[in-house]
Amino acid sequence: MHDDLIARAQAWLAEDPDAETRDELAKLIDAGDVTELADRFAGTLQFGTAGLRGELGAGPMRMNRTVVIRAAAGLAAYLKKNGQSGGLVVVGYDARHKSADFARDTAAVMSGAGLRAAVLPHPLPTPVLAYAIRHLGAVAGVEVTASHNPPRDNGYKVYLGDGSQIVPPADAEIAAEIDAITTLTSVPRPESGWETLDDAVLDAYLARTDAVLAPGSPRTARTVYTAMHGVGKDVLLAAFARAGFPAPALVAEQAEPDPDFPTVAFPNPEEPGAMDLAFAKARETEPDLIIANDPDADRCAVAVGEGGDWRMLRGDEVGSLLAAHLVRRGAHGTFAESIVSSSLLGRIAEKAGLPYEETLTGFKWIARVEGLRYGYEEALGYCVDPDGVRDKDGITAALLITELASELKEQGRTLLDLLDDLAVEHGLHATDQLSVRVEDLSVIADAMRRLREQPPTELAGRTITGSEDLTQGTDRLPPTDGLRYTLDGARVIVRPSGTEPKLKCYLEVVVPVAAHDRLPEARAKAAEVLAAIKRDLSAAAGI
């Protein structure tokens, strides 16, 4: 076993085109570090509907140039098998470690396979890549990003020519083509032959953002903005300037791209502490709201003043606010969300007489809803202009929520006032999440198995009236690894994260509200029930 492991590592080393990872692997081999080598050669990073994502480093279980070249070659083979020979593939990338290298490798592989390749001019938000695919008539697109993962990670996200992320069976077919590549010497990688785009594609994206806002709408709301050390700042500032909003006050410590994300433990606005610098800036400048993007700017977080301080709005709260705003503006088309998001969107759509759809988690599913006008999911993702970007877009979402805040400001009201109105009109929809990050993925598998073998019959003293194992699929949803429980006035969904080592449990409680003065009582009741569900679910799952 030891000799076989060393032999596989040496074979990988012989092909590795990257001096940095060659040196890293050579040191592990020379040191005879069997434990570390075994971890890196325990298998291969699996290509799926999230593409690839993992820790940077040498070996097939890490993100590196060898893994990316193989992935690009597999994608190229898939495209050619599906009649796309000679088609254009657009490649975008963020500012993480190795992102530019992975983008250039992808372009070289596409060019070597007889496809045309065009690389975005510099690190840009993921929504710009999603827009560019359709704008340029590409057959596919690749975004090199690990979104809001820790600094040590990178990833590889694949879109097809409709501008939305891959779904089955394309993921499995691409994975099979990747597996068929036995050696890097079989993958032509010319040193030239692809195009580096200029900023015309970015200018076209920015021009498209004009469509998000209503002509003549108020543009007075003042914002604090953090890019969370990512690539969102310049694009968001340009979009806000075009729209005529006041220039956002920047969180200077997080404004420029930095792949080490030095001020945050995790560069995700949802994580504890990530918004602390933004809150401090808001206490200084007293804006109307805080806007935050994640590092690749496809997500948008919003914080508001409350009780003399600042708090993050939940993704479900922002999702409902944007929906209500679009309804008031007379939007037509289907409103859609993932199954883990608040059921309030369905109530808003029903009241407005609009079609409504639920999908599996991820914008790869939401973006494919027929006639989509607006889609969101609770993890801070919003698609407010599906004709422009068929994916979540943290830039256009920021524009739309700031327009709404401006309109409310003109009326002497706030986003919180509108949330209160929605609670009285549709019932208080309170959501929360029990999220467990693990080092050992078997903990997640054990929790899911325990829940399936010994399913709870009640949570928070409420009988579970409906229990669905989503691996079986439903009449409206394809199969996925998840469990859904229905209780009186509540709902719980449990699933492993598709992009991080986390078990995620999504909780919702609905409390009827007779009038605005009963809201404090309803919120207290909802908080009590959510806490009890969390406690009981944690015990049932053994986490």
Side-chain angles (χ1 to χ4, degrees):
M1 181 68 73
H2 174 271
D3 291 344
D4 175 64
L5 178 61
I6 296 297
R8 284 188 288 134
Q10 289 173 332
W12 184 276
L13 179 65
E15 284 199 331
D16 191 339
D18 189 314
E20 188 175 334
T21 47
R22 280 201 310 272
D23 181 60
E24 177 186 319
L25 186 55
K27 287 178 179 177
L28 291 174
I29 294 171
D30 291 345
D33 191 338
V34 175
T35 301
E36 184 65 23
L37 288 170
D39 183 51
R40 291 164 182 254
F41 286 84
T44 59
L45 281 183
Q46 293 302 300
F47 185 93
T49 54
L52 293 168
R53 199 175 289 190
E55 185 176 347
L56 290 162
M61 288 296 289
R62 299 288 188 271
M63 282 295 297
N64 51 63
R65 291 183 61 197
T66 301
V67 165
V68 165
I69 290 166
R70 291 169 58 88
L75 173 60
Y78 166 85
L79 292 171
K80 292 168 73 174
K81 273 193 178 180
N82 283 273
Q84 306 291 356
S85 296
L88 173 67
V89 178
V90 188
V91 185
Y93 59 103
D94 66 11
R96 283 177 177 266
H97 293 295
K98 298 289 184 182
S99 286
D101 294 338
F102 295 167
R104 283 192 294 269
D105 283 332
T106 299
V109 170
M110 296 302 161
S111 182
L115 293 143
R116 293 184 296 128
V119 182
L120 294 185
H122 43 80
L124 285 166
T126 294
V128 178
L129 181 278
Y131 168 81
I133 294 166
R134 297 173 70 205
H135 176 67
L136 298 173
V139 299
V142 171
E143 177 71 14
V144 181
T145 181
S147 190
H148 56 273
N149 275 41
R152 63 178 182 273
D153 289 359
N154 212 328
Y156 198 81
K157 187 183 293 188
V158 176
Y159 298 74
L160 294 183
D162 63 354
S164 54
Q165 297 174 50
I166 56 170
V167 294
D171 58 339
E173 292 171 8
I174 295 169
E177 296 293 345
I178 295 170
D179 290 343
I181 298 160
T182 56
T183 173
L184 288 197
T185 58
S186 66
V187 181
R189 286 179 288 131
E191 294 186 4
S192 61
W194 63 90
E195 178 184 2
T196 298
L197 297 169
D198 60 24
D199 275 332
V201 68
L202 174 58
D203 294 340
Y205 167 82
L206 286 168
R208 176 71 206 182
T209 64
D210 297 347
V212 173
L213 304 177
S217 63
R219 313 284 167 89
T220 56
R222 296 171 52 252
T223 57
V224 159
Y225 172 71
T226 175
M228 204 66 66
H229 298 296
V231 297
K233 183 200 71 174
D234 290 345
V235 179
L236 182 131
L237 290 181
F240 269 53
R242 286 183 66 94
F245 288 114
L250 299 179
V251 178
E253 301 94 327
Q254 299 174 334
E256 300 303 326
D258 188 332
D260 293 321
F261 306 104
T263 68
V264 290
F266 292 96
N268 178 354
E270 292 180 296
E271 293 284 349
M275 293 289 287
D276 286 355
L277 288 172
F279 293 159
K281 186 70 174 180
R283 293 181 194 110
E284 291 175 18
T285 58
E286 299 184 350
D288 297 298
L289 70 165
I290 300 172
I291 298 289
N293 286 137
D294 67 337
D296 68 327
D298 63 350
R299 289 173 169 84
C300 175
V302 179
V304 295
E306 182 180 54
D309 209 347
W310 290 84
R311 81 161 175 97
M312 277 273 289
L313 294 181
R314 301 191 69 84
D316 285 316
E317 292 176 311
V318 177
S320 300
L321 287 168
L322 292 175
H325 184 45
L326 290 170
V327 165
R328 194 200 59 77
R329 277 181 25 184
H332 294 285
T334 301
F335 280 26
E337 64 180 339
S338 63
I339 57 172
V340 300
S341 304
S342 172
S343 59
L344 177 56
L345 183 68
R347 306 240 181 140
I348 292 171
E350 181 182 18
K351 180 81 177 284
L354 295 174
Y356 164 76
E357 291 287 341
E358 270 191 329
T359 74
L360 293 184
T361 306
F363 271 81
K364 57 185 174 284
W365 299 108
I366 294 171
R368 285 181 160 75
V369 168
E370 187 174 351
L372 180 68
R373 174 58 186 88
Y374 168 66
Y376 97 92
E377 67 179 5
E378 55 74 44
L380 310 183
Y382 314 96
C383 176
V384 302
D385 178 27
D387 290 340
V389 175
R390 289 190 182 174
D391 198 6
K392 55 186 177 292
D393 182 346
I395 305 297
T396 51
L399 288 170
L400 194 62
I401 197 70
T402 308
E403 177 187 61
L404 173 57
S406 298
E407 291 191 358
L408 291 166
K409 183 178 182 179
E410 297 293 297
Q411 302 163 18
R413 307 178 75 233
T414 68
L415 296 174
L416 293 178
D417 292 326
L418 181 52
L419 283 173
D420 287 351
D421 292 349
L422 293 174
V424 172
E425 185 175 2
H426 302 288
L428 175 68
H429 288 62
T431 58
D432 202 353
Q433 190 177 129
L434 172 62
S435 181
V436 182
R437 185 182 292 272
V438 302
E439 294 292 331
D440 181 358
L441 290 177
S442 69
V443 173
I444 295 175
D446 289 345
M448 295 298 291
R449 182 172 62 251
R450 179 170 176 169
L451 288 171
R452 287 188 170 106
E453 292 176 354
Q454 300 173 305
T457 57
E458 66 174 34
L459 295 168
R462 301 183 179 207
T463 301
I464 293 177
T465 57
S467 180
E468 297 171 277
D469 187 340
L470 299 176
T471 54
Q472 309 302 313
T474 72
D475 57 345
R476 302 186 68 85
L477 297 171
T480 188
D481 186 7
L483 299 163
R484 178 161 60 180
Y485 304 119
T486 304
L487 303 84
D488 180 29
R491 182 217 64 196
V492 174
I493 294 173
V494 184
R495 59 178 283 273
S497 170
T499 57
E500 298 178 90
K502 284 183 175 181
L503 180 68
K504 291 189 168 183
C505 310
Y506 304 85
L507 324 176
E508 180 175 46
V509 172
V510 182
V511 181
V513 184
H516 281 77
D517 62 359
R518 305 306 296 271
L519 275 166
E521 177 186 333
R523 289 199 173 97
K525 177 65 174 175
E528 176 188 328
V529 176
L530 285 170
I533 291 176
K534 264 191 183 181
R535 180 195 64 231
D536 293 353
L537 185 62
S538 180
I543 54 176

